[in-house]
Structure formats: C-alpha cells, structure tokens
Amino acid sequence: MYANLKVNNGSVVVNYSMNGRMRFPTQVTISKEKASNGKFKEWDYKNNLVRNTVENYAATNKVLSKILKVANDIITEHLNTDIKITAKELEALLANTRKEKQETHSALLLDRYDDFMERMEKKLKQSPDSFKTYKTFKNTLLDYEFDLQKQFKATDIINYDWCVDFTAWLQEKRPNKATKNGITHTYKSRGQAAVNTIDKRYEVLKGFAAYLKEIKVISDYTILLRYTKESVRKKNSIKTTLTIDELYSLLDFQLEKRLSQVRDLFVIACFTGLRWKDLVNFNKELIINIDGKPVYQKIPNKTKNTSGITVTIPLADIVIKYLEKLNYNLDIISNQKANVYLKQALQKTELFNDLTNKKDKLDRNLRRFEIMSFHKGRDTFITNLIDSVPLSEIMKYTGHTKLSNLQKYIDM
C-alpha cells in the first residue's frame, strides 16, 4: 500500500508496487560490496536505511527519509479520496517534484531579484524615492556579474565566502567602462564604497533573502545575518544641529529673497521635525486645536503604507508666523536646490564656519554649513527636545515606533 526504500545494485530507490512497480532513484548510492549472505554490507535491512558505520550516514538517511516521506504523503493524499495511485503516476509526480525543486534552487540571482523588485515597487508605489535603493542595488549586481564574468544563483548570497568577496569588490575602485570578452560595460557603481554605503547594500540583501525564504528558494539566511553583524558595521554619522539661539540668529540675518525663503523653510523643518516630502506637502487643513493650541496631525508619507501611524506635532508661535509668511505654500523648490541654497544661506551668515570631523574625498575637514541639509532639521528638532520632553512624547511628534530609531537623530 505504501512505498519503502530498497537497494537496487548499489543504488537506493523508492520502491512502490501498484498496478506495476516503481523504483524511483534517490540519487544515493552505497558500496556494492556484499556479505556472505548476499546482502549489501552498508545497508541496514531492519530499518531500511544506510548503516551507522557508513561515513555521513545521519545526513544521508535524513535525505532518504525526506524523499520517502514525500512519496508516502502523495500516496496518503490519494487514499484519502479513495484513490490508489499507480506506480507510474507516483513516479511522474515524484519526478515533477524533483524538477521543480531543482529549478527553484538553480534560479539565477538577477531573475529572482527582478521578482523581488517588482514586489517592492508595488509596496513602495507611493514612495518612489525609497524604491531607488532597490534599483541601485540591481545596478550593483549587474556590475558585479560583469566584473566576475559569472551569473550567480539566488542561493549564492547565503554563502559566507560570497559575502566576503562581494564586500571586497564593493570597496575596490572601478573605471567608468571596461571591455571583457568583446563586450563593453559602463559601470553604474564606481566602487570604493564607504562603510555606510555597504551597510545600505546589505540591508537590501537581507530583505531579498527574507523574500527568498518566503518563496522557499532558501530555508534559512542565518549565515548572511551573521556576516552582516560581524563584518558590516555602520559608522555613526557625524551630526550637526542648530541650537534654539542659532535658529533665532539665523532668522535675524538679512538674505536675498531666494535664500530667505529657503532659510524660512528650513526653520519650519527645525521646529516641526518634518521630513522633506511632508514639509513641502504641508496641508493647512490638517492643523487642529488641542487645549487652545495649534497642532499638526498627519500620517507621514514614508510610513503611510507600513505603520500608518499619525504624528501629532505642536506648532510653536514661530512656526505659525513663518507658515503665514510663506502663505502655507511650502512646495516652492526642489530638495536638491533647497540643500544648495541652504548651504549658501548659512555660509553668508558666517555663523557656521567652524570645522567638523566629517571629511570630503580629498580628506579635507568640512565646515558646518557644508554638511547641512534639510534632513538636519529633523535632527535639530529631536536634539532640542531630548533634555526637556519625555521620549514617548517626542515619538508622537516624529512617528517613531522604536526608541532605537529615534536615538539615531540625536546630536550628542
């Protein structure tokens, strides 16, 4: 009624008889040497498994038991519907199962990554900027495969040595173009990746590995997690924020119109902690009064498709003043230009010329105004509250659900 394991001329097979006989190869072989009674020396006839005297017998028997279970599960499934599956039918189903498994495990890395990207594109449909990271990583993989002249399998990423080699390659310097085997390739990733850049690549890789596990291409990615924990250590970014006094000094400084508008926009960011997208999409209608005080309530653009948490930000009098000055229309400039003009505005005040420990590619220490950006407004907001407002309250303002994420914004 059910299948069992047998040895056929040294090859272990799944044996089944029903309207014919099936001897399905398990791809496990043992020595053909026989004892005086004519039985194979390496086969345990009592338990129908490889003898415990054979090297790696435990792992081998685990494979055999798994194959036999698949066969008997198929038989049981048919018996539950009063069908006795024939030997020929069972053989076809087992062969198909093996083929599917082989195809799954031989799938090319880039093919699987394309599927993963498609999923992430749908998930991040409302956050195209966040999706850029995944496109960048695909370009990195394309460059890597070209450089090594090799197509990787999806399962390669859970190999420790692969991770070591990939990290080393990320740190190497690359030219603009290279020609190999008659094909000229333009590199999108230029190499010499900094620690934080490598950390970003592995964050994507871990997400991809989780996807591969979900679709059963891999059963585990502990090796990748271990490698990341041991060898990919993100450096603490060098923070620079403004004190409240510096913000008021900045506001007192006379600037030409375009720089003045960007300065005003930056000050609003520093007093609200809003990310760029939420800042430029500020909606006056989302201001409500709580205990007679204006409060801004909004689901942040970044998390509306994930946590969906609503931030509740008290609006100081100075925020209302500059919102009114800009007529509540904050969508006045692109993020890229805003950061350029912000640096120009800060430089003109001569209040932010002190050197920092952050360096450029020429190993030159940068001045404070040079490393300022609109995202520093969020750092400034959190840092100025940290000593006077409970952390749980600040998290209501910022939308953070984990204290560890909030702490990353603090300028110590």
Side-chain angles (χ1 to χ4, degrees), residues 292-347:
K293 298 288 184 180
V295 170
Y296 189 58
Q297 282 195 334
K298 186 183 188 300
I299 298 175
N301 184 74
K302 185 176 180 178
T303 57
K304 65 183 177 182
N305 293 321
T306 52
S307 66
I309 196 167
T310 299
V311 296
T312 303
I313 308 169
L315 300 180
D317 291 343
I318 194 169
V319 176
I320 298 296
K321 176 183 175 180
Y322 282 89
L323 283 171
E324 290 176 348
K325 183 180 176 182
L326 293 170
N327 200 27
Y328 289 90
N329 176 26
L330 308 190
D331 191 8
I332 56 176
I333 192 171
S334 70
N335 187 211
Q336 185 177 10
K337 284 186 177 179
N339 284 323
V340 172
Y341 290 162
L342 174 63
K343 290 175 175 60
Q344 291 177 10
L346 296 176
Q347 184 178 16

Side-chain angles (χ1 to χ4, degrees), residues 85-301:
I85 189 170
T86 67
K88 189 174 182 179
E89 289 169 336
L90 179 59
E91 185 174 17
L93 288 171
L94 287 174
N96 189 53
T97 300
R98 175 174 287 168
K99 182 181 177 185
E100 287 178 357
K101 187 175 180 181
Q102 288 173 338
E103 287 176 349
T104 296
H105 285 274
S106 64
L108 294 178
L109 174 60
L110 278 166
D111 288 343
R112 290 297 184 188
Y113 188 76
D114 280 339
D115 296 339
F116 174 62
M117 269 186 63
E118 188 176 336
R119 171 185 284 195
M120 295 309 298
E121 187 171 22
K122 290 176 183 176
K123 185 177 179 181
L124 299 171
K125 191 174 183 181
Q126 304 303 321
S127 307
D129 288 341
S130 298
F131 182 64
K132 287 179 182 177
T133 305
Y134 297 92
K135 291 194 285 188
T136 298
F137 189 71
K138 180 178 179 180
N139 289 331
T140 303
L141 290 176
L142 286 167
D143 288 349
Y144 189 42
E145 288 198 346
F146 174 80
D147 234 12
L148 272 69
Q149 291 291 288
K150 180 178 180 180
Q151 287 185 310
F152 291 103
K153 295 177 183 177
T155 51
D156 286 335
I157 67 168
I158 57 171
N159 181 289
Y160 199 92
D161 289 336
W162 187 91
C163 294
V164 171
D165 292 342
F166 182 57
T167 301
W169 178 83
L170 288 171
Q171 295 170 321
E172 292 172 0
K173 186 177 180 179
R174 275 180 290 287
N176 288 325
K177 294 181 180 181
T179 301
K180 296 185 179 184
N181 294 325
I183 298 174
T184 300
H185 178 80
T186 301
Y187 291 101
K188 295 288 181 69
S189 56
R190 297 301 301 278
Q192 295 182 302
V195 174
N196 286 4
T197 300
I198 294 172
D199 177 73
K200 287 181 182 178
R201 300 295 173 264
Y202 274 91
E203 283 302 308
V204 175
L205 200 58
K206 286 188 288 187
F208 178 44
Y211 166 75
L212 293 177
K213 182 180 178 181
E214 180 188 332
I215 63 173
K216 296 182 170 56
V217 171
I218 60 176
S219 59
D220 184 83
Y221 58 101
T222 306
I223 292 173
L224 175 61
L225 294 175
R226 178 165 63 86
Y227 175 79
T228 306
K229 186 176 180 180
E230 291 176 354
S231 306
V232 185
R233 296 180 181 175
K234 186 177 179 181
K235 287 183 179 178
N236 291 326
S237 55
I238 295 171
K239 296 286 183 186
T240 181
T241 57
L242 280 69
T243 65
I244 299 296
D245 288 342
E246 285 177 325
L247 284 169
Y248 278 102
S249 297
L250 178 60
L251 286 170
D252 289 340
F253 204 88
Q254 296 300 310
L255 296 166
E256 60 184 270
K257 184 178 179 181
R258 67 175 183 176
L259 297 185
S260 176
Q261 284 186 325
V262 169
R263 182 266 319 273
D264 296 347
L265 198 60
F266 180 64
V267 169
I268 294 172
C270 289
F271 277 101
T272 61
L274 289 171
R275 297 182 182 91
W276 176 259
K277 279 254 172 133
D278 296 318
L279 185 70
V280 296
N281 291 322
F282 192 92
N283 186 348
K284 182 181 179 181
E285 294 181 6
L286 297 179
I287 300 176
I288 62 171
N289 280 301
I290 296 179
D291 297 329
K293 298 288 184 180
V295 170
Y296 189 58
Q297 282 195 334
K298 186 183 188 300
I299 298 175
N301 184 74

Side-chain angles (χ1 to χ4, degrees), residues 250 253 344-354 369:
L250 178 60
F253 204 88
Q344 291 177 10
L346 296 176
Q347 184 178 16
K348 283 201 169 189
T349 68
E350 297 185 352
L351 297 171
F352 307 94
N353 286 338
D354 42 316
F369 74 83

